[in-house]
Amino acid sequence: MPGEAWRPRLAGVTPRVLKDWRRAVVMAAIRRRNAGRSAERVFADIYAEGRWGAGETFDSGTGSRGELAIRYAEYVRSLVQRLGVRSVVDVGCGDFRVAGLFADHVESYHGVDVVPAVIARNNELHGAPGVRFSVLDATVRPLPEGDLCLVRQVLQHLSNRQIAGILAHCRQFPTVLVTEHWPAPDRMRRPNIDKPHGPDIRLDRGSWVDITRPPFDCRPVREVLRLSLGLPLFRSGETVRTFLWQPSAGA
């Protein structure tokens, strides 16, 4: 009968394998579409459609809430105190949920994002003396001055060329904190596999963003915070890792 030949092939296929295959097909289609669209348009649509916030507009996703956000903010506050940081620049500031946990610990907080609607909303709801937001594509434009630059789970959504652009603009800061989502150890294949900008990250290909490895090669960098994900995207064991980079020390 037609189709009978497929049965032996499918007999050993697990639901997880089928799920991963379907996800790969969808991911490939999304990446093909986003490759031809501007970063502003892609990320504006994500926010407008509530794709990161379970349907809620202007939500930067689950990583901006809960234990991950709290622990990160605690570390930033401790770093601000230890280094005497007075001004912070936050690249890809998103909905301000995370930065709202530490912005009052510095004299100046400046959040930048490529999505105009997000920035307009942030200025309306959170703008205050010492707290401001600007529309800025950090992949191609210089960043405002500051003592500390934060890049939290932003690079993972970008192409390698765009990541290199942001890192080049980060070199003006004495201290940079870069936070990225890493795969489970048994899923790790190779860091920094390229992809178009978009809502997806590299985990489906066993990849992640590592600024210490080619083509970025940032120095000196050390890991300062590692948090486990209660609800992983693919496999148990995924982590969110934060790295402290001091560009001038490696010059």
Side-chain angles (χ1 to χ4, degrees):
M1 293 176 62
E4 288 291 328
W6 290 99
R7 291 187 180 179
R9 299 183 189 181
L10 293 175
V13 177
T14 66
R16 172 174 285 183
V17 170
L18 287 174
K19 181 180 178 181
D20 288 348
W21 176 79
R22 293 190 189 102
R23 188 184 304 199
V25 171
V26 171
M27 199 78 71
I30 290 173
R31 287 170 176 164
R32 284 194 300 270
R33 180 170 182 261
N34 288 340
R37 305 170 70 218
S38 71
E40 178 185 332
R41 185 68 267 158
V42 167
F43 292 108
D45 285 351
I46 291 168
Y47 278 104
E49 296 165 6
R51 294 173 62 187
W52 277 341
E56 182 182 345
T57 305
F58 299 120
D59 190 323
S60 294
T62 56
S64 296
R65 300 184 292 276
E67 185 68 13
L68 291 180
I70 292 169
R71 293 281 302 280
Y72 175 82
E74 288 173 348
Y75 179 79
V76 172
R77 290 197 297 267
S78 69
L79 185 67
V80 163
Q81 183 176 11
R82 186 167 75 251
L83 298 182
V85 169
R86 300 173 62 184
S87 56
V88 168
V89 175
D90 191 4
V91 179
C93 61
D95 60 19
F96 190 62
R97 276 189 174 93
V98 178
L101 300 174
F102 60 76
D104 59 350
H105 283 62
V106 294
E107 294 179 14
S108 170
Y109 168 89
H110 194 163
V112 302
D113 204 292
V114 74
V115 182
V118 170
I119 293 301
R121 178 181 181 273
N122 283 350
N123 274 317
E124 179 181 357
L125 296 180
H126 309 296
V131 177
R132 58 184 290 204
F133 304 89
S134 299
V135 178
L136 187 145
D137 183 349
T139 69
V140 295
R141 290 180 54 196
L143 291 163
E145 294 183 355
D147 300 323
L148 172 65
C149 182
L150 308 176
V151 192
R152 184 176 183 272
Q153 291 180 263
V154 171
L155 305 182
Q156 60 197 32
H157 295 293
L158 303 176
S159 71
N160 284 357
R161 178 183 60 79
Q162 291 167 317
I163 293 170
I166 289 180
L167 294 177
H169 294 137
C170 286
R171 290 186 178 277
Q172 71 185 52
F173 296 91
T175 306
V176 183
L177 275 189
V178 175
T179 302
E180 288 294 312
H181 189 152
W182 283 45
D186 63 349
R187 292 272 302 180
M188 287 183 173
R189 302 293 181 265
R190 179 164 62 87
N192 304 329
I193 293 177
D194 204 4
K195 76 169 201 71
H197 54 259
D200 56 299
I201 59 179
R202 292 162 170 77
L203 265 63
D204 64 303
R205 301 170 70 182
S207 188
W208 65 100
V209 174
D210 184 345
I211 65 171
T212 70
R213 304 278 291 276
F216 311 123
D217 298 313
C218 297
R219 298 285 188 277
V221 175
R222 62 185 175 90
E223 185 176 347
V224 294
L225 185 65
R226 182 183 301 192
L227 302 172
S228 297
L229 277 153
L231 293 173
L233 289 182
F234 284 88
R235 299 286 188 274
S236 177
E238 293 171 15
T239 54
V240 174
R241 306 186 188 189
T242 298
F243 299 86
L244 188 149
W245 174 32
Q246 295 177 299
S248 60

